[in-house]
Amino acid sequence: VLVFGLLPATAFAEGETVPDGKAKIGNNVYNTLDEAMDAVEEGGTATIYLGKGTYSGNTAKTDPGKGAGKSLTFVGAGTGETTWQIMATEKHGSDGWCDYSFRDSDRITFENMTVVGSVYPDGSTKSNDTQGLTYIQHITLKNCIFNGRADYWGYESTTFENVTFNAPGTEASGVAGSDYALWTYTGKSYTFKNCTFNSAGKTVNVYRQSGPDYDIIVNFEGCTVNNTSSNKAVLNINDSN
Protein backbone atom coordinates (compact mmCIF):
# COMPACT_ATOMS: atom_id res chain seq x y z
CA VAL A 1 0.00 0.00 0.00
CA LEU A 2 2.81 2.40 0.83
CA VAL A 3 4.58 1.79 -2.48
CA PHE A 4 1.45 2.35 -4.56
CA GLY A 5 0.64 5.46 -2.55
CA LEU A 6 4.02 7.04 -3.25
CA LEU A 7 4.29 6.45 -6.99
CA PRO A 8 1.80 9.10 -8.18
CA ALA A 9 3.31 11.76 -5.94
CA THR A 10 6.80 11.04 -7.28
CA ALA A 11 5.72 11.33 -10.92
CA PHE A 12 3.80 14.53 -10.19
CA ALA A 13 6.78 16.13 -8.43
CA GLU A 14 8.90 15.63 -11.56
CA GLY A 15 6.41 17.69 -13.55
CA GLU A 16 5.56 14.89 -15.98
CA THR A 17 1.80 15.37 -15.86
CA VAL A 18 1.44 19.06 -16.74
CA PRO A 19 -0.77 19.52 -19.83
CA ASP A 20 0.63 21.58 -22.70
CA GLY A 21 0.36 25.33 -22.10
CA LYS A 22 -0.83 24.94 -18.52
CA ALA A 23 0.72 25.31 -15.07
CA LYS A 24 0.43 23.52 -11.75
CA ILE A 25 1.12 24.15 -8.10
CA GLY A 26 0.95 21.12 -5.84
CA ASN A 27 -2.13 19.13 -6.87
CA ASN A 28 -3.79 22.04 -8.67
CA VAL A 29 -3.59 22.45 -12.44
CA TYR A 30 -4.34 25.91 -13.88
CA ASN A 31 -5.38 26.74 -17.43
CA THR A 32 -2.95 29.66 -17.61
CA LEU A 33 0.26 30.78 -15.95
CA ASP A 34 -1.47 33.97 -14.80
CA GLU A 35 -4.07 31.92 -12.93
CA ALA A 36 -1.35 29.92 -11.20
CA MET A 37 0.62 32.99 -10.15
CA ASP A 38 -2.56 34.71 -8.98
CA ALA A 39 -3.24 31.74 -6.67
CA VAL A 40 -0.05 32.51 -4.71
CA GLU A 41 -0.69 34.86 -1.81
CA GLU A 42 0.80 38.33 -1.87
CA GLY A 43 4.48 38.13 -0.96
CA GLY A 44 4.23 34.32 -0.99
CA THR A 45 6.54 31.57 -2.26
CA ALA A 46 5.68 28.76 -4.66
CA THR A 47 7.06 26.32 -7.22
CA ILE A 48 5.10 26.37 -10.47
CA TYR A 49 5.52 23.51 -12.95
CA LEU A 50 4.99 24.36 -16.63
CA GLY A 51 3.94 22.11 -19.49
CA LYS A 52 5.16 22.16 -23.05
CA GLY A 53 4.70 25.58 -24.62
CA THR A 54 5.78 29.23 -24.55
CA TYR A 55 5.24 31.35 -21.45
CA SER A 56 5.87 34.92 -20.27
CA GLY A 57 4.83 37.22 -17.46
CA ASN A 58 2.92 40.49 -17.46
CA THR A 59 5.28 43.25 -18.58
CA ALA A 60 3.33 46.44 -17.85
CA LYS A 61 5.16 48.98 -15.70
CA THR A 62 2.02 50.51 -14.18
CA ASP A 63 0.13 47.21 -13.81
CA PRO A 64 2.53 44.62 -12.34
CA GLY A 65 1.91 41.01 -13.29
CA LYS A 66 0.39 38.33 -11.09
CA GLY A 67 3.88 37.24 -10.01
CA ALA A 68 5.10 40.67 -8.92
CA GLY A 69 6.33 40.78 -5.32
CA LYS A 70 6.28 36.97 -5.02
CA SER A 71 9.19 34.51 -4.82
CA LEU A 72 8.55 31.95 -7.54
CA THR A 73 10.36 28.97 -9.02
CA PHE A 74 9.32 27.95 -12.53
CA VAL A 75 10.16 24.38 -13.58
CA GLY A 76 9.75 23.56 -17.25
CA ALA A 77 9.28 20.26 -19.05
CA GLY A 78 12.77 20.53 -20.62
CA THR A 79 14.82 22.90 -22.76
CA GLY A 80 13.25 21.51 -25.94
CA GLU A 81 9.72 21.67 -24.57
CA THR A 82 9.23 24.82 -22.47
CA THR A 83 10.26 28.35 -23.49
CA TRP A 84 10.12 31.48 -21.35
CA GLN A 85 10.14 34.77 -23.25
CA ILE A 86 11.42 37.90 -21.51
CA MET A 87 9.19 40.52 -23.13
CA ALA A 88 10.14 43.97 -24.42
CA THR A 89 6.72 45.40 -25.20
CA GLU A 90 7.76 49.07 -25.16
CA LYS A 91 10.63 51.37 -24.21
CA HIS A 92 10.23 52.67 -20.65
CA GLY A 93 12.32 55.86 -20.57
CA SER A 94 15.80 55.34 -19.15
CA ASP A 95 14.86 51.80 -18.07
CA GLY A 96 14.82 50.84 -21.73
CA TRP A 97 13.23 47.76 -23.28
CA CYS A 98 12.63 45.79 -20.10
CA ASP A 99 10.12 43.45 -18.49
CA TYR A 100 8.39 44.34 -15.18
CA SER A 101 6.69 40.95 -14.68
CA PHE A 102 8.23 40.34 -11.25
CA ARG A 103 8.79 43.84 -9.96
CA ASP A 104 9.73 43.88 -6.24
CA SER A 105 10.08 40.08 -6.06
CA ASP A 106 12.80 38.72 -3.79
CA ARG A 107 13.64 35.51 -5.69
CA ILE A 108 12.77 34.27 -9.18
CA THR A 109 14.14 30.95 -10.46
CA PHE A 110 13.90 29.28 -13.86
CA GLU A 111 14.72 25.57 -14.27
CA ASN A 112 14.66 23.06 -17.13
CA MET A 113 13.63 25.37 -19.95
CA THR A 114 14.84 27.71 -22.68
CA VAL A 115 14.84 31.40 -21.78
CA VAL A 116 14.82 34.02 -24.55
CA GLY A 117 16.41 37.34 -23.66
CA SER A 118 13.85 39.87 -24.92
CA VAL A 119 11.13 39.36 -27.49
CA TYR A 120 9.76 42.53 -29.13
CA PRO A 121 6.17 43.34 -30.16
CA ASP A 122 6.81 42.18 -33.74
CA GLY A 123 8.09 38.83 -32.46
CA SER A 124 11.74 39.64 -33.17
CA THR A 125 14.68 39.20 -30.77
CA LYS A 126 17.35 41.87 -30.47
CA SER A 127 20.43 42.81 -28.45
CA ASN A 128 19.61 46.36 -27.36
CA ASP A 129 21.00 47.88 -24.17
CA THR A 130 19.02 47.47 -20.94
CA GLN A 131 16.95 44.39 -21.71
CA GLY A 132 15.81 41.88 -19.13
CA LEU A 133 13.67 41.39 -16.00
CA THR A 134 13.76 44.40 -13.68
CA TYR A 135 13.61 44.98 -9.91
CA ILE A 136 14.21 41.40 -8.70
CA GLN A 137 16.66 40.92 -5.84
CA HIS A 138 17.88 37.40 -6.66
CA ILE A 139 17.64 35.54 -9.99
CA THR A 140 18.65 31.93 -10.68
CA LEU A 141 18.77 29.94 -13.92
CA LYS A 142 19.43 26.21 -13.57
CA ASN A 143 19.62 23.54 -16.27
CA CYS A 144 18.52 26.06 -18.89
CA ILE A 145 19.40 27.34 -22.34
CA PHE A 146 19.61 31.12 -22.63
CA ASN A 147 19.33 32.63 -26.11
CA GLY A 148 20.19 36.24 -26.93
CA ARG A 149 21.09 38.96 -24.45
CA ALA A 150 19.89 40.51 -21.20
CA ASP A 151 21.42 43.19 -18.96
CA TYR A 152 19.02 43.40 -16.02
CA TRP A 153 19.58 40.54 -13.59
CA GLY A 154 19.31 40.17 -9.81
CA TYR A 155 19.67 43.48 -7.99
CA GLU A 156 21.60 41.61 -5.27
CA SER A 157 22.76 38.31 -6.77
CA THR A 158 22.44 36.16 -9.88
CA THR A 159 23.30 32.46 -10.21
CA PHE A 160 23.65 30.42 -13.39
CA GLU A 161 24.12 26.67 -12.94
CA ASN A 162 24.48 24.32 -15.89
CA VAL A 163 23.26 26.97 -18.33
CA THR A 164 24.12 27.04 -22.04
CA PHE A 165 24.35 30.60 -23.38
CA ASN A 166 23.91 31.21 -27.12
CA ALA A 167 25.17 34.77 -27.53
CA PRO A 168 23.98 37.08 -30.33
CA GLY A 169 25.75 36.26 -33.56
CA THR A 170 25.39 32.51 -33.11
CA GLU A 171 22.76 30.73 -35.18
CA ALA A 172 21.09 29.25 -32.11
CA SER A 173 20.55 32.70 -30.55
CA GLY A 174 18.31 33.92 -33.35
CA VAL A 175 19.92 37.38 -33.08
CA ALA A 176 22.10 38.76 -35.87
CA GLY A 177 25.35 40.59 -35.13
CA SER A 178 27.94 39.63 -32.54
CA ASP A 179 27.16 40.84 -29.03
CA TYR A 180 27.43 39.83 -25.37
CA ALA A 181 25.15 37.18 -23.88
CA LEU A 182 24.78 39.44 -20.86
CA TRP A 183 25.99 42.53 -19.04
CA THR A 184 26.41 42.56 -15.26
CA TYR A 185 24.38 45.76 -15.26
CA THR A 186 22.64 45.18 -11.92
CA GLY A 187 23.58 43.44 -8.69
CA LYS A 188 26.72 42.77 -6.70
CA SER A 189 27.36 39.05 -7.26
CA TYR A 190 27.29 36.77 -10.31
CA THR A 191 28.02 33.04 -10.21
CA PHE A 192 28.54 30.93 -13.34
CA LYS A 193 28.87 27.26 -12.45
CA ASN A 194 29.34 24.52 -15.06
CA CYS A 195 28.05 26.78 -17.84
CA THR A 196 28.72 26.66 -21.58
CA PHE A 197 29.00 29.81 -23.68
CA ASN A 198 28.63 29.73 -27.45
CA SER A 199 29.94 33.05 -28.75
CA ALA A 200 30.70 34.84 -32.01
CA GLY A 201 33.27 37.17 -30.45
CA LYS A 202 31.71 38.58 -27.27
CA THR A 203 30.74 36.62 -24.18
CA VAL A 204 30.20 38.42 -20.82
CA ASN A 205 30.50 42.17 -20.27
CA VAL A 206 31.44 42.71 -16.62
CA TYR A 207 30.14 46.23 -16.36
CA ARG A 208 29.99 48.37 -13.25
CA GLN A 209 27.22 50.95 -13.57
CA SER A 210 28.00 52.72 -10.27
CA GLY A 211 31.09 54.38 -8.85
CA PRO A 212 34.15 52.90 -7.10
CA ASP A 213 32.27 52.20 -3.86
CA TYR A 214 30.14 49.57 -5.64
CA ASP A 215 32.03 46.29 -6.07
CA ILE A 216 30.93 43.38 -8.25
CA ILE A 217 32.05 39.81 -7.55
CA VAL A 218 32.08 37.36 -10.48
CA ASN A 219 32.51 33.66 -9.73
CA PHE A 220 33.41 31.71 -12.89
CA GLU A 221 33.77 27.99 -12.15
CA GLY A 222 33.94 24.94 -14.41
CA CYS A 223 32.76 26.81 -17.52
CA THR A 224 33.47 26.26 -21.22
CA VAL A 225 33.55 28.98 -23.87
CA ASN A 226 33.25 28.09 -27.56
CA ASN A 227 34.19 31.20 -29.53
CA THR A 228 34.23 31.33 -33.34
CA SER A 229 35.90 34.76 -33.50
CA SER A 230 39.58 35.70 -33.48
CA ASN A 231 38.69 37.76 -30.39
CA LYS A 232 38.83 35.12 -27.64
CA ALA A 233 38.05 37.36 -24.66
CA VAL A 234 35.70 35.66 -22.18
CA LEU A 235 35.13 38.40 -19.61
CA ASN A 236 35.33 42.02 -20.73
CA ILE A 237 36.14 43.89 -17.50
CA ASN A 238 34.72 47.39 -17.91
CA ASP A 239 35.75 49.33 -14.81
CA SER A 240 35.59 52.82 -16.33
CA ASN A 241 33.09 54.09 -13.76
Side-chain angles (χ1 to χ4, degrees), residues 7-54:
L7 283 175
T10 301
F12 198 76
E14 293 174 352
E16 297 175 356
T17 60
V18 187
D20 293 358
K22 298 188 178 183
K24 70 173 171 46
I25 302 174
N27 293 319
N28 298 315
V29 177
Y30 300 87
N31 287 324
T32 67
L33 173 59
D34 256 10
E35 290 178 10
M37 293 190 296
D38 196 31
V40 182
E41 64 182 6
E42 186 174 350
T45 301
T47 297
I48 301 178
Y49 291 89
L50 305 175
K52 180 180 179 180
T54 300

Coordinates of all heavy atoms in Angstrom, one line a residue, residues 7-54:
L7 N 4.0 6.3 -5.6 CA 4.3 6.4 -7.0 C 3.7 7.7 -7.7 O 4.3 8.4 -8.3 CB 3.9 5.2 -7.7 CG 4.9 4.0 -7.5 CD1 4.3 2.7 -8.2 CD2 6.2 4.3 -8.1
P8 N 2.4 7.9 -7.5 CA 1.8 9.1 -8.2 C 2.4 10.4 -7.7 O 2.7 11.3 -8.5 CB 0.3 9.0 -7.8 CG 0.1 7.6 -7.4 CD 1.4 7.1 -6.8
A9 N 2.7 10.5 -6.5 CA 3.3 11.8 -5.9 C 4.7 12.0 -6.5 O 5.1 13.1 -6.8 CB 3.4 11.7 -4.4
T10 N 5.5 10.9 -6.7 CA 6.8 11.0 -7.3 C 6.7 11.5 -8.7 O 7.4 12.4 -9.1 CB 7.5 9.7 -7.2 OG1 7.6 9.3 -5.8 CG2 8.9 9.8 -7.8
A11 N 5.8 10.9 -9.5 CA 5.7 11.3 -10.9 C 5.3 12.8 -11.0 O 5.7 13.5 -11.8 CB 4.7 10.4 -11.6
F12 N 4.3 13.2 -10.2 CA 3.8 14.5 -10.2 C 4.9 15.5 -9.8 O 5.0 16.6 -10.5 CB 2.6 14.6 -9.2 CG 1.7 15.8 -9.4 CD1 0.8 15.8 -10.5 CD2 1.8 16.9 -8.6 CE1 0.0 16.9 -10.7 CE2 1.0 18.0 -8.8 CZ 0.1 18.0 -9.9
A13 N 5.7 15.2 -8.9 CA 6.8 16.1 -8.4 C 7.8 16.4 -9.5 O 8.4 17.4 -9.6 CB 7.5 15.6 -7.2
E14 N 8.0 15.4 -10.5 CA 8.9 15.6 -11.6 C 8.3 16.5 -12.7 O 8.9 16.7 -13.7 CB 9.3 14.3 -12.1 CG 10.2 13.5 -11.1 CD 10.5 12.1 -11.6 OE1 9.9 11.7 -12.6 OE2 11.3 11.4 -10.9
G15 N 7.0 16.8 -12.6 CA 6.4 17.7 -13.6 C 6.0 17.0 -14.8 O 5.8 17.6 -15.9
E16 N 5.8 15.7 -14.8 CA 5.6 14.9 -16.0 C 4.1 14.9 -16.4 O 3.8 14.5 -17.5 CB 6.0 13.4 -15.8 CG 7.5 13.3 -15.5 CD 7.9 11.9 -15.2 OE1 7.0 11.0 -15.1 OE2 9.1 11.6 -15.1
T17 N 3.2 15.4 -15.6 CA 1.8 15.4 -15.9 C 1.2 16.7 -16.2 O 0.0 16.8 -16.2 CB 1.0 14.8 -14.7 OG1 1.3 15.6 -13.5 CG2 1.5 13.4 -14.4
V18 N 2.0 17.7 -16.4 CA 1.4 19.1 -16.7 C 1.0 19.1 -18.2 O 1.8 18.9 -19.1 CB 2.5 20.2 -16.5 CG1 1.8 21.5 -16.6 CG2 3.1 20.0 -15.1
P19 N -0.3 19.4 -18.4 CA -0.8 19.5 -19.8 C -0.1 20.7 -20.6 O 0.4 21.6 -20.0 CB -2.3 19.8 -19.7 CG -2.6 19.3 -18.3 CD -1.4 19.6 -17.5
D20 N 0.0 20.6 -21.9 CA 0.6 21.6 -22.7 C 0.0 22.9 -22.4 O -1.2 23.1 -22.4 CB 0.5 21.2 -24.2 CG 1.3 20.0 -24.6 OD1 1.9 19.4 -23.7 OD2 1.2 19.6 -25.8
G21 N 0.8 24.0 -22.3 CA 0.4 25.3 -22.1 C -0.2 25.7 -20.8 O -0.7 26.8 -20.5
K22 N -0.2 24.7 -19.8 CA -0.8 24.9 -18.5 C 0.2 25.0 -17.4 O 1.4 24.8 -17.7 CB -1.9 23.9 -18.2 CG -3.0 23.9 -19.3 CD -4.2 23.0 -18.9 CE -5.3 23.2 -19.9 NZ -6.5 22.4 -19.5
A23 N -0.2 25.2 -16.2 CA 0.7 25.3 -15.1 C 0.1 24.6 -13.9 O -1.1 24.5 -13.8 CB 1.0 26.8 -14.7
K24 N 1.0 24.2 -13.0 CA 0.4 23.5 -11.8 C 1.2 23.9 -10.5 O 2.4 24.1 -10.6 CB 0.4 22.0 -11.9 CG 1.7 21.3 -11.9 CD 1.5 19.8 -11.9 CE 2.7 19.0 -12.1 NZ 3.9 19.3 -11.4
I25 N 0.5 24.0 -9.4 CA 1.1 24.1 -8.1 C 0.6 23.0 -7.2 O -0.7 23.0 -7.0 CB 0.8 25.5 -7.5 CG1 1.2 26.7 -8.4 CG2 1.4 25.7 -6.1 CD1 0.8 28.0 -8.0
G26 N 1.4 22.2 -6.7 CA 1.0 21.1 -5.8 C 0.1 20.2 -6.6 O 0.4 19.7 -7.7
N27 N -1.2 20.0 -6.2 CA -2.1 19.1 -6.9 C -3.1 19.9 -7.8 O -4.0 19.3 -8.4 CB -3.0 18.4 -5.9 CG -2.1 17.4 -5.1 OD1 -1.3 16.7 -5.6 ND2 -2.4 17.3 -3.8
N28 N -2.9 21.2 -7.9 CA -3.8 22.0 -8.7 C -3.2 22.4 -10.0 O -2.1 22.9 -10.1 CB -4.1 23.3 -7.9 CG -4.8 23.1 -6.6 OD1 -5.7 22.3 -6.5 ND2 -4.4 23.7 -5.5
V29 N -4.0 22.1 -11.1 CA -3.6 22.5 -12.4 C -4.4 23.7 -12.9 O -5.6 23.7 -12.7 CB -3.8 21.3 -13.4 CG1 -3.5 21.7 -14.8 CG2 -3.0 20.1 -13.0
Y30 N -3.7 24.7 -13.5 CA -4.3 25.9 -13.9 C -4.3 26.0 -15.4 O -3.3 25.6 -16.0 CB -3.7 27.1 -13.2 CG -3.7 27.1 -11.7 CD1 -2.7 26.4 -11.0 CD2 -4.7 27.7 -11.0 CE1 -2.8 26.3 -9.6 CE2 -4.8 27.6 -9.6 CZ -3.8 27.0 -8.9 OH -3.8 26.9 -7.6
N31 N -5.3 26.6 -16.0 CA -5.4 26.7 -17.4 C -4.3 27.7 -18.0 O -3.9 27.6 -19.1 CB -6.8 27.2 -17.9 CG -7.8 26.1 -17.7 OD1 -7.5 24.9 -17.9 ND2 -9.0 26.5 -17.3
T32 N -4.0 28.7 -17.2 CA -3.0 29.7 -17.6 C -1.9 29.9 -16.5 O -2.2 29.7 -15.3 CB -3.6 31.0 -18.0 OG1 -4.1 31.6 -16.8 CG2 -4.7 30.8 -19.0
L33 N -0.8 30.4 -16.9 CA 0.3 30.8 -15.9 C -0.2 31.9 -15.0 O 0.0 31.9 -13.8 CB 1.5 31.2 -16.7 CG 2.7 31.8 -15.8 CD1 3.1 30.8 -14.8 CD2 3.8 32.2 -16.7
D34 N -0.9 32.9 -15.6 CA -1.5 34.0 -14.8 C -2.4 33.5 -13.7 O -2.3 34.0 -12.5 CB -2.3 34.9 -15.7 CG -1.5 36.2 -16.0 OD1 -0.3 36.3 -15.7 OD2 -2.1 37.2 -16.5
E35 N -3.2 32.5 -14.0 CA -4.1 31.9 -12.9 C -3.3 31.3 -11.8 O -3.6 31.4 -10.6 CB -5.0 30.9 -13.5 CG -6.1 31.5 -14.4 CD -7.0 30.5 -15.0 OE1 -6.9 29.3 -14.6 OE2 -7.8 30.8 -15.9
A36 N -2.2 30.6 -12.2 CA -1.4 29.9 -11.2 C -0.6 30.9 -10.3 O -0.6 30.8 -9.1 CB -0.3 29.0 -11.9
M37 N -0.1 32.0 -10.9 CA 0.6 33.0 -10.1 C -0.3 33.8 -9.3 O 0.0 34.1 -8.1 CB 1.4 34.0 -11.1 CG 2.5 33.3 -11.8 SD 3.6 34.5 -12.7 CE 2.4 35.2 -13.9
D38 N -1.6 34.0 -9.7 CA -2.6 34.7 -9.0 C -3.0 33.9 -7.7 O -3.4 34.5 -6.7 CB -3.8 35.0 -9.9 CG -4.7 36.1 -9.3 OD1 -4.2 37.0 -8.5 OD2 -5.9 36.0 -9.5
A39 N -2.8 32.6 -7.8 CA -3.2 31.7 -6.7 C -2.2 31.8 -5.5 O -2.6 31.4 -4.4 CB -3.4 30.3 -7.1
V40 N -1.1 32.4 -5.8 CA 0.0 32.5 -4.7 C -0.3 33.8 -3.9 O -0.5 34.8 -4.5 CB 1.4 32.6 -5.3 CG1 2.4 32.7 -4.2 CG2 1.6 31.3 -6.2
E41 N -0.4 33.7 -2.6 CA -0.7 34.9 -1.8 C 0.3 36.0 -2.0 O 1.5 35.7 -2.4 CB -0.8 34.5 -0.3 CG 0.5 34.0 0.2 CD 0.4 33.5 1.7 OE1 -0.7 33.5 2.2 OE2 1.5 33.2 2.3
E42 N -0.1 37.2 -1.7 CA 0.8 38.3 -1.9 C 2.1 38.2 -1.0 O 2.0 37.9 0.2 CB 0.1 39.6 -1.5 CG 0.8 40.9 -1.7 CD 0.0 42.1 -1.4 OE1 -1.2 42.0 -1.2 OE2 0.6 43.2 -1.4
G43 N 3.2 38.3 -1.7 CA 4.5 38.1 -1.0 C 4.8 36.7 -0.7 O 5.8 36.4 0.0
G44 N 4.0 35.7 -1.3 CA 4.2 34.3 -1.0 C 5.3 33.7 -1.8 O 5.9 34.3 -2.7
T45 N 5.5 32.4 -1.6 CA 6.5 31.6 -2.3 C 5.9 30.3 -2.8 O 5.0 29.7 -2.2 CB 7.7 31.2 -1.3 OG1 8.3 32.3 -0.7 CG2 8.7 30.3 -2.0
A46 N 6.3 29.9 -4.1 CA 5.7 28.8 -4.7 C 6.6 28.2 -5.8 O 7.4 29.0 -6.4 CB 4.3 29.1 -5.2
T47 N 6.4 26.9 -6.0 CA 7.1 26.3 -7.2 C 6.0 26.0 -8.2 O 5.0 25.4 -7.9 CB 7.8 25.0 -6.9 OG1 8.9 25.3 -6.0 CG2 8.4 24.3 -8.1
I48 N 6.1 26.5 -9.4 CA 5.1 26.4 -10.5 C 5.7 25.5 -11.6 O 6.7 25.9 -12.2 CB 4.6 27.7 -11.0 CG1 4.1 28.6 -9.9 CG2 3.6 27.6 -12.1 CD1 3.6 30.0 -10.3
Y49 N 5.1 24.4 -11.9 CA 5.5 23.5 -13.0 C 4.8 23.9 -14.2 O 3.6 24.2 -14.2 CB 5.2 22.0 -12.6 CG 6.1 21.5 -11.5 CD1 5.7 21.7 -10.2 CD2 7.4 20.9 -11.8 CE1 6.5 21.2 -9.1 CE2 8.2 20.5 -10.7 CZ 7.8 20.6 -9.4 OH 8.6 20.2 -8.4
L50 N 5.5 23.9 -15.3 CA 5.0 24.4 -16.6 C 5.0 23.2 -17.6 O 6.0 22.4 -17.7 CB 5.8 25.5 -17.2 CG 5.9 26.8 -16.3 CD1 6.8 27.8 -16.9 CD2 4.6 27.4 -16.0
G51 N 4.0 23.1 -18.4 CA 3.9 22.1 -19.5 C 4.7 22.6 -20.7 O 5.4 23.6 -20.7
K52 N 4.6 21.8 -21.8 CA 5.2 22.2 -23.0 C 4.5 23.4 -23.6 O 3.3 23.5 -23.5 CB 5.0 21.0 -24.0 CG 5.6 21.3 -25.4 CD 5.4 20.1 -26.3 CE 5.9 20.3 -27.7 NZ 5.7 19.2 -28.6
G53 N 5.3 24.4 -24.1 CA 4.7 25.6 -24.6 C 5.6 26.8 -24.4 O 6.7 26.7 -23.8
T54 N 5.1 28.0 -24.7 CA 5.8 29.2 -24.6 C 5.1 30.1 -23.5 O 3.8 30.3 -23.6 CB 5.9 30.0 -25.9 OG1 6.6 29.2 -26.9 CG2 6.6 31.3 -25.7

